Amino acid sequence: MGDSTHASDTNGDGPASKKVKLSKSTIAMIERKRQNAILLRESRLQCRPTATSVQPTTVSNSLSREQPKNNMRIPHKKEDSDLSDLLTTVNCRECHICCNASYLHEKFGENVCDECRDKDKDQFKLISKTDAKNEFVLKDCDFDSREPPLRFVTAPNPHNRKGGFMKLYLQGQVYERACEVHGGDEGIDNAILQRSKNREAFALRKMNKKLADLRNSSKPRQIKEAHVHEFGDEMYHEDDDEYSHSCKSCGYTEHYEKL
């Protein structure tokens, strides 16, 4: 009996011999957890006090026992929280499978697996900062200064390869921030309408200024002709022994002598 049971187990017919197939995302998550655990262990080993950091004392045993505790560096609570985050399983809100290693969870904190993201790319698409500002009437402070700041990823700018990287945001998170700023969908529509009115008013003022400049430039310039004096009868001044005559239009008087 015992031999037959052992033989059946070794032949691979028992339930323990079945292998569980893991998805690529699960394998990547396990590898990432293993690497983070190694880094966490090394950081904790570095935080431990060395033998040179503890100085021997000639005080009583109770004081000498307390001295190393005061000199020991306590690991940061952030490391414990990182470890707890690695051990916590996050499920996708669409299909309820594990999504710890998904792109949206790591980059934007959204509980969506990669398969659901690929199925509905329009719902989880990325939008550049310039397009987000134009579409949702937002300012730079709405992205960076408001709490919490919106998370983003960087990518090369296709319109300017030599320029810097552009920031890409998750459109759903940008929409939620716009609702927070403007007070919902109606507030966003009112902001878009007000912006269009301001642009039309600015364009009208600019056009009126151009028309005024055009009118001023098209007016004929008044060319002043050179004045020609038209003198009247000459008069003789016996005391000075000279003659003079005056212009009939401007009153200019010219004095001269005759030989």
Side-chain angles (χ1 to χ4, degrees):
M1 294 293 291
D3 296 339
S4 62
T5 306
H6 180 70
S8 62
D9 293 339
T10 55
N11 290 335
D13 298 334
S17 62
K18 294 182 179 179
K19 296 182 179 180
V20 180
K21 294 184 179 180
L22 300 178
S23 62
K24 294 183 180 180
S25 60
T26 305
I27 295 174
M29 178 191 68
I30 294 173
E31 179 63 21
R32 193 176 291 103
K33 286 184 178 181
R34 189 179 71 84
Q35 295 294 336
N36 291 334
I38 294 174
L39 295 176
L40 183 61
R41 180 175 176 274
E42 292 178 356
S43 63
R44 286 185 172 180
L45 289 176
Q46 293 177 0
C47 293
R48 292 182 180 178
T50 58
T52 56
S53 63
V54 181
Q55 299 179 357
T57 56
T58 57
V59 216
S60 61
N61 293 333
S62 61
L63 293 177
S64 62
R65 290 172 185 172
E66 294 178 358
Q67 185 68 21
K69 293 181 180 180
N70 294 335
N71 292 335
M72 288 180 63
R73 292 177 59 187
I74 302 175
H76 295 289
K77 294 182 179 180
K78 185 179 180 181
E79 297 175 356
D80 298 335
S81 63
D82 293 341
L83 183 60
S84 63
D85 292 341
L86 292 174
L87 298 177
T88 303
T89 302
V90 179
N91 295 328
C92 176
R93 68 189 185 197
E94 301 292 335
C95 61
H96 306 291
I97 67 171
C98 179
C99 63
N100 287 62
S102 67
Y103 177 82
L104 292 180
H105 179 70
E106 289 186 350
K107 301 299 183 181
F108 299 98
E110 293 289 336
N111 300 336
V112 179
C113 65
D114 293 334
E115 295 180 0
C116 294
R117 172 174 173 260
D118 295 336
K119 289 179 182 178
D120 192 358
K121 291 187 177 181
D122 294 336
Q123 182 180 359
F124 305 107
K125 69 178 182 180
L126 303 180
I127 184 173
S128 65
K129 189 174 185 179
T130 303
D131 294 339
K133 290 166 64 176
N134 293 332
E135 185 174 348
F136 298 101
V137 198
L138 295 175
K139 301 178 182 178
D140 291 333
C141 59
D142 297 327
F143 292 85
D144 306 326
S145 301
R146 284 182 176 268
E147 295 294 337
L150 293 181
R151 301 172 67 175
F152 62 89
V153 294
T154 57
N157 192 341
H159 304 290
N160 186 9
R161 293 290 183 180
K162 296 182 180 180
F165 288 84
M166 63 179 182
K167 295 181 179 180
L168 298 176
Y169 295 84
L170 193 62
Q171 187 170 359
Q173 294 181 351
V174 176
Y175 170 73
E176 293 177 358
R177 180 57 55 87
C179 292
E180 178 185 350
V181 172
H182 301 294
D185 294 335
E186 185 177 357
I188 296 175
D189 295 338
N190 293 335
I192 295 174
L193 182 61
Q194 184 63 36
R195 181 182 62 183
S196 62
K197 290 181 179 179
N198 295 338
R199 288 180 176 177
E200 290 177 0
F202 176 76
L204 183 60
R205 291 195 302 268
K206 188 175 181 180
M207 184 182 64
N208 292 336
K209 184 177 181 302
K210 286 185 177 181
L211 290 176
D213 296 341
L214 184 61
R215 291 193 194 99
N216 294 332
S217 62
S218 61
K219 286 183 179 179
R221 296 181 181 180
Q222 297 180 357
I223 301 175
K224 296 183 178 179
E225 297 179 357
H227 175 64
V228 179
H229 296 297
E230 185 180 355
F231 295 104
D233 298 335
E234 63 178 8
M235 299 176 60
Y236 174 70
H237 303 281
E238 188 177 356
D239 298 337
D240 299 329
D241 192 18
E242 62 179 7
Y243 296 86
S244 66
H245 53 190
S246 301
C247 178
K248 295 180 180 180
S249 57
C250 67
Y252 171 73
T253 302
E254 182 182 16
H255 301 270
Y256 57 92
E257 295 180 354
K258 286 184 178 182
L259 297 177

